Amino acid sequence: ARARATLAMVAAAYGTNYAMVKLIDVYTGSASLGAAIRFLIAAAVMVPPLVALGRKEPRLVQWPIASSGLGAGACFAAGYAVQASALETSDAGLQAFLLSLAVVVCPLLERLVAQRAQPPQVWLAAGLAACGVLVLECGAPSGFGAAPGDVLGLLQPLLFGAGFFQVERAMA
């Protein structure tokens, strides 16, 4: 029951991400300041456990693992910066749907970079996801690409997808 409750809390927190980013940006008046506040809070929460883990498992702070983490982190940081900027002129719901295109980017990177063949079901799912986002975007009140954030938001799946790809490679 505790695991399910934790999963439900994580899903609820994740579901509020775009709305909260937009609210923080409006409150601070700047996407950059909002992102800085978010990442300072995240660092304050994560650095102490990472230091403790590094002391317990020194191999986790050696360069091969750290460089993988830095590479993935750079992709995610760029993705979050694009997300915050896109939300200045675009709807939070639309940006959330655009980010879902990361499920298309991941198999493409697997195929193009890692040279791993993907089963037909993966391409079918990726195609359906892309079509779904296209239908949602074209049906948006502003129309596709009407706001600069709509176009900028298309960088999100590329950056987050590259980050997920790097995390998967590091885990292997």
Side-chain angles (χ1 to χ4, degrees):
R2 187 168 51 178
R4 288 178 190 225
T6 301
L7 183 60
M9 289 188 316
V10 168
Y14 182 75
T16 64
N17 180 48
Y18 285 88
M20 292 306 296
V21 169
K22 192 144 186 144
L23 284 173
I24 289 170
D25 291 351
V26 168
Y27 179 76
T28 62
S30 163
S32 300
L33 181 58
I37 290 169
R38 289 172 61 212
F39 287 108
L40 282 173
I41 291 169
V45 170
M46 291 305 300
V47 166
L50 287 174
V51 168
L53 183 63
R55 286 186 183 137
K56 185 178 178 182
E57 294 284 339
R59 68 181 177 83
L60 296 178
V61 292
Q62 293 175 351
W63 182 246
I65 292 176
S67 66
S68 295
L70 289 171
C75 290
F76 289 130
Y80 281 114
V82 165
Q83 177 189 93
S85 296
L87 285 168
E88 289 181 345
T89 60
S90 185
D91 294 331
L94 175 61
Q95 291 303 314
F97 284 116
L98 291 177
L99 177 59
S100 69
L101 286 174
V103 302
V104 176
V105 171
C106 290
L108 282 173
L109 290 174
E110 286 282 324
R111 181 69 188 119
L112 298 174
V113 176
Q115 301 294 314
R116 277 191 235 137
Q118 299 295 312
Q121 310 85 297
V122 169
W123 297 118
L124 176 63
L128 288 172
C131 288
V133 170
L134 181 64
V135 167
L136 288 168
E137 175 62 12
C138 288
S142 60
F144 186 76
D150 294 357
V151 177
L152 185 61
L154 289 171
L155 291 175
Q156 285 184 97
L158 298 175
L159 294 165
F160 282 108
F164 294 139
F165 177 72
Q166 289 213 1
V167 166
E168 183 178 346
R169 291 181 75 172
M171 294 298 292

